[in-house]
Amino acid sequence: MEQMHQLADAVRETFSADGHNIKKAVSLHPSFGRSKVPQSGLARNMVLDAITEQARVLNIGVKTVAGGGCDILIFDDLTERHYRVLKATKDPETDAYDILGSENLLDVADAEPSMFTTTERWVFAYTVDDAGMIIDVFEARVAGLSKHKVPHLLLEGITILGTGLTPPPEGRGYQPPDEDLDGFGDEESGEDGSEAM
């Protein structure tokens, strides 16, 4: 679990440092702003690059999959977890996460068969705001597919990832905690509030 938190931190740090470049890149040509597709693609590539780089540091397996995505491979004594990196959306009314899925996604048949371990499909998922910045990063086990005409993943055991602080609400930057600052600045101003000379 600690490794997954560290991967989430790496994704957040990447966007904190370079996420503004997505908006800059999309603004380079009017046609880039016709839809959210270019912005979404750039954000996805930044997520994948951050994961791949941090996975090397943590000695975690990462496997490229069809469509340019990747699986994160986590092994313990009894379970092989294959985490597909995916973008999720969040229902503003229910706060439920939603990810489109397919039968192909559920397939982990390429895993090494073993009578001593089980193989599970998980997701390492993220949500983004309108500016393309990361909001939530979470993991969840995939329990199957919904029966909708366009299938959605059925998720179990959703865990928000990251060791850092929860990001501030949209539109608000860093808010310092209220602290007792009695006496702070006494040297700079007189008791009546005028500046000291």
Side-chain angles (χ1 to χ4, degrees):
M1 175 64 87
E2 181 58 32
Q3 291 175 316
M4 303 309 288
H5 284 303
Q6 291 175 327
L7 286 176
D9 286 345
V11 169
R12 289 186 186 283
E13 287 168 14
T14 295
F15 276 77
S16 178
D18 296 316
H20 64 279
N21 287 324
I22 293 175
K23 188 173 181 181
K24 193 182 295 184
V26 171
S27 69
L28 290 176
H29 195 279
S31 63
F32 297 164
R34 290 184 185 274
S35 74
K36 295 287 185 183
V37 173
Q39 181 174 298
S40 180
L42 292 169
R44 178 176 183 256
N45 287 343
M46 285 183 72
V47 168
L48 295 175
D49 285 352
I51 287 171
T52 302
E53 186 175 329
Q54 185 66 16
R56 277 195 214 103
V57 173
L58 298 173
N59 200 26
I60 295 173
V62 174
K63 180 180 70 171
T64 302
V65 297
C70 75
D71 274 0
I72 302 163
L73 310 176
I74 301 291
F75 305 95
D76 63 29
D77 292 339
L78 302 174
T79 308
E80 296 181 10
R81 292 191 178 113
H82 293 236
Y83 289 82
R84 181 64 51 87
V85 178
L86 295 170
K87 180 182 174 185
T89 58
K90 191 173 185 180
D91 187 312
E93 294 180 5
T94 65
D95 281 344
Y97 294 106
D98 188 41
I99 303 175
L100 297 178
S102 68
E103 288 289 344
N104 291 342
L105 180 68
L106 301 182
D107 186 21
V108 285
D110 59 337
E112 287 290 325
S114 171
M115 58 188 298
F116 302 110
T117 61
T118 58
T119 304
E120 297 177 347
R121 166 59 71 198
W122 287 61
V123 293
F124 179 97
Y126 62 95
T127 64
V128 296
D129 63 14
D130 289 340
M133 298 299 283
I134 294 291
I135 300 296
D136 296 330
V137 181
F138 67 91
E139 69 171 16
R141 193 177 78 80
V142 178
L145 291 174
S146 71
K147 301 296 184 187
H148 297 96
K149 187 173 182 181
V150 178
H152 297 246
L153 297 181
L154 301 175
L155 304 176
E156 290 182 347
I158 293 172
T159 302
I160 301 297
L161 296 172
T163 59
L165 298 173
T166 303
E170 192 172 344
R172 294 182 60 196
Y174 170 72
Q175 299 293 316
D178 291 330
E179 295 179 5
D180 183 10
L181 299 178
D182 287 341
F184 179 76
D186 287 346
E187 298 92 9
E188 288 82 23
S189 63
E191 288 185 10
D192 62 354
S194 61
E195 281 193 19
M197 294 297 203

